[in-house]
Amino acid sequence: MSTDLEKREKTAVNTTAAEQINQAGPSFSPDVDIYASDDKLVLAVDLPGVKKGDVTINVDENNALVIKGKNTFTEPEGAVLTQYRIGDYYRVFQISNDYDKENISATLENGLLIVTIPKREEVKPKKIEIQA
């Protein structure tokens, strides 16, 4: 068993990419877990330091789901050790036409954004009853 602590680096967002950065300062690509079922897709997005009013989620005409989070946490003075980089968040996901972009829902609690994207009714699996 290893006693070494793993330091996971955040991936910085390239500031030259499209319209992603609105303000000066570092931006990061947040970590995400994606879960798929027969009727929906769920994204669990890690947004530490981001409050509900500081997150925007948009879907454009090309089915690109854009998540932006503004981190309002300010680092206290006199830090002895810092392992957590402070910055805003930006991430884009391409959604297939199998999903209903009109009925996407989201919740944010304790820095975890849950985005639920339901499948369109016509692409959900249907159970066929066998007649006697």
Short mmCIF file of all heavy atoms in Angstrom, two decimals, residues 51-87:
data_model
loop_
_atom_site.label_atom_id
_atom_site.label_comp_id
_atom_site.label_asym_id
_atom_site.label_seq_id
_atom_site.Cartn_x
_atom_site.Cartn_y
_atom_site.Cartn_z
N LYS A 51 -21.58 28.83 -6.65
CA LYS A 51 -22.94 28.90 -6.10
C LYS A 51 -23.96 28.79 -7.21
O LYS A 51 -23.66 29.04 -8.38
CB LYS A 51 -23.12 30.22 -5.35
CG LYS A 51 -22.21 30.34 -4.15
CD LYS A 51 -22.36 31.69 -3.50
CE LYS A 51 -21.33 31.82 -2.38
NZ LYS A 51 -21.18 33.19 -1.93
N LYS A 52 -25.20 28.46 -6.83
CA LYS A 52 -26.28 28.23 -7.79
C LYS A 52 -26.44 29.37 -8.79
O LYS A 52 -26.56 29.13 -9.99
CB LYS A 52 -27.59 28.01 -7.03
CG LYS A 52 -28.77 27.75 -7.92
CD LYS A 52 -30.01 27.53 -7.08
CE LYS A 52 -31.24 27.38 -7.96
NZ LYS A 52 -32.44 27.20 -7.17
N GLY A 53 -26.41 30.60 -8.35
CA GLY A 53 -26.60 31.74 -9.24
C GLY A 53 -25.41 32.03 -10.13
O GLY A 53 -25.50 32.89 -11.02
N ASP A 54 -24.32 31.33 -9.94
CA ASP A 54 -23.10 31.57 -10.72
C ASP A 54 -22.83 30.50 -11.77
O ASP A 54 -21.72 30.38 -12.27
CB ASP A 54 -21.90 31.69 -9.78
CG ASP A 54 -22.00 32.91 -8.88
OD1 ASP A 54 -22.56 33.92 -9.33
OD2 ASP A 54 -21.54 32.84 -7.73
N VAL A 55 -23.86 29.69 -12.09
CA VAL A 55 -23.73 28.65 -13.10
C VAL A 55 -24.70 28.95 -14.24
O VAL A 55 -25.85 29.31 -14.01
CB VAL A 55 -24.07 27.26 -12.53
CG1 VAL A 55 -24.03 26.19 -13.62
CG2 VAL A 55 -23.13 26.89 -11.42
N THR A 56 -24.21 28.82 -15.48
CA THR A 56 -25.10 28.90 -16.63
C THR A 56 -24.96 27.63 -17.45
O THR A 56 -23.86 27.09 -17.60
CB THR A 56 -24.79 30.12 -17.54
OG1 THR A 56 -23.44 30.02 -18.01
CG2 THR A 56 -24.98 31.42 -16.80
N ILE A 57 -26.10 27.16 -17.93
CA ILE A 57 -26.14 25.97 -18.78
C ILE A 57 -26.96 26.34 -20.00
O ILE A 57 -28.10 26.80 -19.86
CB ILE A 57 -26.79 24.77 -18.05
CG1 ILE A 57 -26.05 24.47 -16.75
CG2 ILE A 57 -26.81 23.54 -18.97
CD1 ILE A 57 -26.77 23.48 -15.86
N ASN A 58 -26.39 26.17 -21.17
CA ASN A 58 -27.07 26.50 -22.42
C ASN A 58 -26.91 25.36 -23.40
O ASN A 58 -25.90 24.66 -23.39
CB ASN A 58 -26.49 27.77 -23.05
CG ASN A 58 -26.66 28.97 -22.17
OD1 ASN A 58 -27.77 29.31 -21.80
ND2 ASN A 58 -25.56 29.62 -21.83
N VAL A 59 -27.90 25.21 -24.27
CA VAL A 59 -27.82 24.27 -25.39
C VAL A 59 -28.05 25.09 -26.65
O VAL A 59 -29.05 25.79 -26.77
CB VAL A 59 -28.87 23.15 -25.29
CG1 VAL A 59 -28.75 22.20 -26.47
CG2 VAL A 59 -28.73 22.40 -23.99
N ASP A 60 -27.11 25.00 -27.59
CA ASP A 60 -27.26 25.79 -28.82
C ASP A 60 -27.94 24.97 -29.91
O ASP A 60 -28.31 23.80 -29.72
CB ASP A 60 -25.92 26.36 -29.26
CG ASP A 60 -24.92 25.33 -29.73
OD1 ASP A 60 -25.31 24.17 -30.00
OD2 ASP A 60 -23.73 25.67 -29.82
N GLU A 61 -28.10 25.58 -31.08
CA GLU A 61 -28.80 24.94 -32.20
C GLU A 61 -28.05 23.73 -32.74
O GLU A 61 -28.62 22.91 -33.45
CB GLU A 61 -29.06 25.96 -33.32
CG GLU A 61 -27.81 26.51 -33.98
CD GLU A 61 -27.14 27.64 -33.21
OE1 GLU A 61 -27.67 28.09 -32.17
OE2 GLU A 61 -26.05 28.06 -33.64
N ASN A 62 -26.78 23.59 -32.40
CA ASN A 62 -25.98 22.44 -32.83
C ASN A 62 -25.90 21.35 -31.77
O ASN A 62 -25.05 20.47 -31.85
CB ASN A 62 -24.58 22.90 -33.21
CG ASN A 62 -24.59 23.85 -34.38
OD1 ASN A 62 -25.31 23.63 -35.34
ND2 ASN A 62 -23.82 24.91 -34.29
N ASN A 63 -26.77 21.44 -30.76
CA ASN A 63 -26.83 20.47 -29.65
C ASN A 63 -25.57 20.47 -28.78
O ASN A 63 -25.22 19.44 -28.20
CB ASN A 63 -27.13 19.06 -30.13
CG ASN A 63 -28.55 18.92 -30.64
OD1 ASN A 63 -29.40 19.79 -30.41
ND2 ASN A 63 -28.83 17.84 -31.33
N ALA A 64 -24.89 21.58 -28.69
CA ALA A 64 -23.74 21.69 -27.78
C ALA A 64 -24.25 22.18 -26.43
O ALA A 64 -24.86 23.25 -26.33
CB ALA A 64 -22.71 22.66 -28.35
N LEU A 65 -24.03 21.38 -25.40
CA LEU A 65 -24.40 21.74 -24.03
C LEU A 65 -23.19 22.44 -23.42
O LEU A 65 -22.12 21.84 -23.28
CB LEU A 65 -24.75 20.49 -23.23
CG LEU A 65 -25.06 20.71 -21.75
CD1 LEU A 65 -26.47 21.25 -21.61
CD2 LEU A 65 -24.90 19.42 -20.97
N VAL A 66 -23.36 23.72 -23.07
CA VAL A 66 -22.26 24.53 -22.54
C VAL A 66 -22.51 24.80 -21.06
O VAL A 66 -23.57 25.33 -20.69
CB VAL A 66 -22.14 25.87 -23.31
CG1 VAL A 66 -21.01 26.71 -22.73
CG2 VAL A 66 -21.93 25.62 -24.79
N ILE A 67 -21.54 24.45 -20.22
CA ILE A 67 -21.64 24.70 -18.79
C ILE A 67 -20.54 25.68 -18.41
O ILE A 67 -19.36 25.45 -18.69
CB ILE A 67 -21.47 23.39 -17.98
CG1 ILE A 67 -22.57 22.40 -18.35
CG2 ILE A 67 -21.46 23.69 -16.48
CD1 ILE A 67 -22.39 21.03 -17.76
N LYS A 68 -20.94 26.79 -17.76
CA LYS A 68 -19.99 27.79 -17.27
C LYS A 68 -20.27 28.00 -15.79
O LYS A 68 -21.42 28.13 -15.38
CB LYS A 68 -20.15 29.12 -17.99
CG LYS A 68 -19.76 29.11 -19.44
CD LYS A 68 -19.93 30.50 -20.04
CE LYS A 68 -19.61 30.52 -21.51
NZ LYS A 68 -19.77 31.86 -22.10
N GLY A 69 -19.22 28.05 -15.00
CA GLY A 69 -19.37 28.30 -13.57
C GLY A 69 -18.39 29.36 -13.11
O GLY A 69 -17.19 29.29 -13.42
N LYS A 70 -18.89 30.35 -12.41
CA LYS A 70 -18.04 31.41 -11.87
C LYS A 70 -17.74 31.10 -10.41
O LYS A 70 -18.64 30.99 -9.59
CB LYS A 70 -18.72 32.77 -11.99
CG LYS A 70 -17.91 33.89 -11.40
CD LYS A 70 -18.08 35.16 -12.20
CE LYS A 70 -17.24 36.28 -11.66
NZ LYS A 70 -15.82 36.05 -11.71
N ASN A 71 -16.48 30.96 -10.10
CA ASN A 71 -16.05 30.67 -8.73
C ASN A 71 -15.89 31.98 -7.98
O ASN A 71 -15.07 32.82 -8.35
CB ASN A 71 -14.73 29.89 -8.77
CG ASN A 71 -14.37 29.32 -7.42
OD1 ASN A 71 -14.79 29.81 -6.38
ND2 ASN A 71 -13.60 28.26 -7.45
N THR A 72 -16.67 32.17 -6.92
CA THR A 72 -16.62 33.42 -6.16
C THR A 72 -15.78 33.30 -4.89
O THR A 72 -15.69 34.24 -4.12
CB THR A 72 -18.05 33.87 -5.78
OG1 THR A 72 -18.70 32.83 -5.06
CG2 THR A 72 -18.86 34.21 -7.02
N PHE A 73 -15.16 32.15 -4.70
CA PHE A 73 -14.32 31.95 -3.52
C PHE A 73 -13.06 32.81 -3.63
O PHE A 73 -12.41 32.84 -4.68
CB PHE A 73 -13.93 30.47 -3.38
CG PHE A 73 -13.02 30.19 -2.22
CD1 PHE A 73 -13.52 30.12 -0.93
CD2 PHE A 73 -11.66 30.01 -2.41
CE1 PHE A 73 -12.67 29.85 0.13
CE2 PHE A 73 -10.81 29.74 -1.35
CZ PHE A 73 -11.33 29.67 -0.07
N THR A 74 -12.72 33.51 -2.57
CA THR A 74 -11.46 34.26 -2.56
C THR A 74 -10.53 33.63 -1.54
O THR A 74 -10.93 33.32 -0.41
CB THR A 74 -11.68 35.75 -2.20
OG1 THR A 74 -12.41 35.84 -0.98
CG2 THR A 74 -12.45 36.46 -3.29
N GLU A 75 -9.32 33.42 -1.97
CA GLU A 75 -8.33 32.76 -1.13
C GLU A 75 -7.88 33.68 0.00
O GLU A 75 -7.55 34.84 -0.25
CB GLU A 75 -7.14 32.37 -2.00
CG GLU A 75 -6.26 31.34 -1.38
CD GLU A 75 -5.24 30.84 -2.39
OE1 GLU A 75 -5.62 30.11 -3.32
OE2 GLU A 75 -4.06 31.20 -2.23
N PRO A 76 -7.88 33.19 1.23
CA PRO A 76 -7.41 34.02 2.36
C PRO A 76 -5.92 34.36 2.22
O PRO A 76 -5.17 33.63 1.57
CB PRO A 76 -7.63 33.14 3.59
CG PRO A 76 -8.47 32.00 3.14
CD PRO A 76 -8.32 31.88 1.66
N GLU A 77 -5.52 35.44 2.81
CA GLU A 77 -4.10 35.83 2.78
C GLU A 77 -3.29 34.95 3.71
O GLU A 77 -3.82 34.36 4.65
CB GLU A 77 -3.96 37.29 3.20
CG GLU A 77 -4.53 38.27 2.20
CD GLU A 77 -4.27 39.71 2.59
OE1 GLU A 77 -3.28 39.96 3.32
OE2 GLU A 77 -5.05 40.56 2.16
N GLY A 78 -2.02 34.88 3.47
CA GLY A 78 -1.09 34.17 4.35
C GLY A 78 -1.13 32.66 4.20
O GLY A 78 -0.84 31.94 5.16
N ALA A 79 -1.42 32.16 3.02
CA ALA A 79 -1.47 30.71 2.82
C ALA A 79 -0.09 30.10 3.04
O ALA A 79 0.92 30.61 2.57
CB ALA A 79 -1.95 30.40 1.42
N VAL A 80 -0.04 29.03 3.77
CA VAL A 80 1.19 28.30 4.02
C VAL A 80 1.40 27.23 2.96
O VAL A 80 2.52 26.99 2.53
CB VAL A 80 1.15 27.66 5.44
CG1 VAL A 80 2.39 26.82 5.68
CG2 VAL A 80 0.99 28.72 6.50
N LEU A 81 0.31 26.61 2.53
CA LEU A 81 0.35 25.58 1.50
C LEU A 81 -0.92 25.68 0.69
O LEU A 81 -2.01 25.78 1.24
CB LEU A 81 0.44 24.19 2.15
CG LEU A 81 0.31 22.99 1.23
CD1 LEU A 81 1.51 22.88 0.31
CD2 LEU A 81 0.15 21.72 2.04
N THR A 82 -0.81 25.69 -0.63
CA THR A 82 -2.00 25.67 -1.48
C THR A 82 -1.87 24.54 -2.48
O THR A 82 -0.87 24.42 -3.18
CB THR A 82 -2.19 27.00 -2.25
OG1 THR A 82 -1.05 27.24 -3.05
CG2 THR A 82 -2.41 28.16 -1.30
N GLN A 83 -2.88 23.68 -2.53
CA GLN A 83 -2.92 22.57 -3.48
C GLN A 83 -4.14 22.68 -4.37
O GLN A 83 -4.34 21.87 -5.25
CB GLN A 83 -2.94 21.24 -2.75
CG GLN A 83 -1.64 20.96 -2.03
CD GLN A 83 -1.65 19.60 -1.37
OE1 GLN A 83 -2.66 19.15 -0.86
NE2 GLN A 83 -0.50 18.95 -1.38
N TYR A 84 -4.94 23.64 -4.15
CA TYR A 84 -6.19 23.81 -4.88
C TYR A 84 -6.14 25.12 -5.65
O TYR A 84 -5.98 26.18 -5.07
CB TYR A 84 -7.36 23.82 -3.88
CG TYR A 84 -8.69 24.01 -4.51
CD1 TYR A 84 -9.34 22.97 -5.15
CD2 TYR A 84 -9.33 25.24 -4.48
CE1 TYR A 84 -10.57 23.15 -5.73
CE2 TYR A 84 -10.55 25.43 -5.06
CZ TYR A 84 -11.17 24.38 -5.68
OH TYR A 84 -12.39 24.56 -6.27
N ARG A 85 -6.20 25.05 -6.96
CA ARG A 85 -6.15 26.26 -7.77
C ARG A 85 -7.55 26.83 -7.91
O ARG A 85 -8.51 26.12 -8.17
CB ARG A 85 -5.56 25.94 -9.15
CG ARG A 85 -4.10 25.54 -9.03
CD ARG A 85 -3.50 25.16 -10.35
NE ARG A 85 -3.50 26.31 -11.26
CZ ARG A 85 -3.29 26.20 -12.55
NH1 ARG A 85 -3.05 25.03 -13.08
NH2 ARG A 85 -3.30 27.27 -13.31
N ILE A 86 -7.68 28.12 -7.75
CA ILE A 86 -8.96 28.81 -7.81
C ILE A 86 -9.16 29.37 -9.21
O ILE A 86 -8.26 29.96 -9.80
CB ILE A 86 -9.02 29.97 -6.79
CG1 ILE A 86 -8.70 29.47 -5.37
CG2 ILE A 86 -10.36 30.68 -6.84
CD1 ILE A 86 -9.66 28.48 -4.83
N GLY A 87 -10.37 29.19 -9.74
CA GLY A 87 -10.69 29.74 -11.05
C GLY A 87 -12.11 29.40 -11.44
O GLY A 87 -12.84 28.74 -10.70
#
